[in-house]
């Protein structure tokens, strides 16, 4: 496996805990987006990027500077996978919208984006993180479906691993 980093933005600790689980399963470094630099991006072939969702489907606050780091970096040839946390019950119309914003920030970067997940088994009204009938990455509702989180992470990491 090429060098991989899991970068997260978390306000309450949920996304951080999920990022740590993913990093542990991949044997990768886990890093708060506040600590991500252009050097971090350059030094890693694989970037696993995760965010919680706030407000009306927005990125976690720390990611706004992180997106600037990504946009100013050369991502061509890199592999990117995304994961997002949200609350499908209370915010079903903007579920994991932050992940959709991350996707929008990197989709034209020249990186290969992997890890799309079918929407089957999820209950939500709308999401900007759905493209062509699939989530652009791993969608997690650890608020209402915490019993599904570990299984979803395991299946996603297993699907990612051959591509990293």
């Amino acid at each position: 496996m090429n060098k991989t980093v899991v970068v997260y933005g978390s306000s309450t600790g949920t996304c951080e805990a999920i990022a740590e689980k993913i990093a542990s399963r991949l044997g990768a470094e886990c890093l708060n987006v506040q600590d991500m630099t252009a050097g971090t991006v350059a030094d890693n072939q694989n970037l696993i990027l995760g965010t919680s969702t706030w407000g009306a489907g927005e990125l976690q606050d720390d990611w706004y500077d992180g997106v600037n780091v990504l946009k100013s970096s050369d991502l061509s040839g890199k592999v990117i996978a995304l994961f997002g946390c949200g609350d499908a019950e209370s915010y079903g119309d903007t579920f994991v919208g932050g992940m959709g914003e991350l996707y929008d920030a990197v989709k034209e970067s020249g990186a290969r984006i992997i890890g799309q997940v079918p929407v089957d088994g999820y209950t939500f009204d709308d999401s900007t993180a759905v493209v062509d009938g699939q989530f652009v990455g791993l969608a997690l509702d650890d608020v209402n479906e915490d019993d599904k989180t570990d299984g979803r992470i395991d299946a996603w990491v297993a699907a990612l691993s051959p591509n990293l």
Side-chain angles (χ1 to χ4, degrees):
M1 178 166 74
N2 291 311
K3 193 166 179 198
T4 302
V5 64
V6 177
V7 181
Y8 66 88
S10 185
S11 295
T12 65
T14 300
C15 193
E16 177 179 9
I18 288 167
E20 289 171 351
K21 287 180 183 183
I22 292 168
S24 174
R25 286 165 172 83
L26 289 171
E29 178 186 6
C30 190
L31 187 68
N32 188 310
V33 68
Q34 292 175 318
D35 300 320
M36 182 179 73
T37 64
T40 306
V41 176
D43 290 346
N44 288 276
Q45 175 61 30
N46 305 313
L47 305 170
I48 314 296
L49 310 175
T51 184
S52 50
T53 300
W54 292 93
E58 298 159 12
L59 278 170
Q60 190 272 342
D61 290 342
D62 298 331
W63 263 111
Y64 290 101
D65 289 337
V67 164
N68 290 333
V69 170
L70 291 172
K71 286 184 173 186
S72 66
S73 299
D74 181 9
L75 300 178
S76 58
K78 296 201 180 280
V79 175
I80 294 177
L82 305 171
F83 67 97
C85 303
D87 179 343
E89 190 173 299
S90 298
Y91 302 96
D93 58 337
T94 59
F95 181 54
V96 295
M99 180 170 65
E101 286 198 30
L102 273 182
Y103 174 75
D104 288 343
V106 300
K107 69 182 177 184
E108 303 295 330
S109 67
R112 183 166 61 105
I113 301 172
I114 64 170
Q116 294 79 5
V117 173
V119 297
D120 303 339
Y122 291 87
T123 303
F124 64 100
D125 297 322
D126 194 24
S127 178
T128 58
V130 174
V131 174
D132 296 329
Q134 295 191 82
F135 286 110
V136 296
L138 177 62
L140 297 168
D141 181 351
D142 205 55
V143 174
N144 303 295
E145 297 182 340
D146 60 323
D147 58 320
K148 296 180 181 180
T149 297
D150 284 337
R152 285 176 171 164
I153 291 171
D154 289 342
W156 189 66
V157 167
L160 291 182
S161 292
N163 298 294
L164 300 178

